[in-house]
């Protein structure tokens, strides 16, 4: 399994970014996938995830600003981030695990991408 994130960069507060994760070596119907982030000096934080059945869940703090989607044909999951704030500055990671849990936030993810930096200026 290989996960490759892209789409990070520098954006002003209030702006938007769309992150993409190209997932190979897996079948979407057998894997849970998720987006995490980690800011300097802070713990890794789960943002959104999708179960093997296709149900999407969001961390409460992300609802309304972040939207996760998946494209099984292209083999990608995306994270659309709107109204970005300086506190959203972090390295964003895509993760995957062969898991059929009904709630993907309880999954311990085994496969991780290398991350993509998002920096939001004030």
């Amino acid at each position: 399994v290989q996960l490759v994130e892209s789409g990070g960069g520098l954006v002003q507060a209030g702006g938007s970014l769309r992150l993409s994760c190209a997932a190979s070596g897996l079948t979407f119907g057998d894997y849970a996938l998720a987006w995490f982030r980690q800011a300097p000096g802070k713990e890794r934080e789960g943002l959104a995830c999708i179960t093997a059945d296709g149900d999407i869940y969001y961390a409460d703090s992300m609802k309304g600003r972040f939207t996760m989607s998946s494209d099984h044909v292209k083999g990608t999951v995306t994270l659309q981030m709107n109204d970005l704030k300086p506190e959203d500055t972090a390295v964003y990671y895509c993760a995957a695990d062969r898991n059929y849990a009904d709630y993907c936030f309880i999954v311990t993810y085994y496969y991780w991408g290398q991350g993509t930096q998002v920096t939001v200026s004030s």
Side-chain angles (χ1 to χ4, degrees):
V1 174
Q2 187 176 18
L3 305 170
V4 180
E5 302 95 335
S6 61
L10 174 64
V11 63
Q12 289 188 333
S16 299
L17 280 175
R18 184 177 180 87
L19 305 183
S20 182
C21 172
S24 59
L26 59 81
T27 301
F28 274 59
D30 293 328
Y31 280 75
L33 294 112
W35 285 100
F36 289 82
R37 71 183 180 188
Q38 188 163 23
K42 294 188 177 181
E43 292 188 354
R44 188 170 59 200
E45 177 184 19
L47 306 175
C49 62
I50 182 168
T51 67
D53 287 339
D55 296 322
I56 297 175
Y57 295 90
Y58 298 94
D60 288 343
S61 58
M62 300 301 133
K63 290 179 181 178
R65 292 197 301 129
F66 290 8
T67 303
M68 183 177 185
S69 60
S70 68
D71 187 325
H72 292 200
V73 175
K74 293 182 179 178
T76 59
V77 290
T78 60
L79 186 69
Q80 176 67 41
M81 306 187 295
N82 298 326
D83 190 23
L84 285 163
K85 307 175 188 302
E87 51 265 40
D88 293 319
T89 295
V91 178
Y92 285 68
Y93 298 92
C94 176
D97 193 76
R98 187 180 176 94
N99 195 299
Y100 301 98
D102 291 334
Y103 185 57
C104 40
F105 272 121
I106 65 170
V107 173
T108 300
Y109 289 87
Y110 184 80
Y111 300 99
W112 293 82
Q114 83 288 349
T116 185
Q117 176 71 46
V118 171
T119 303
V120 184
S121 63
S122 57

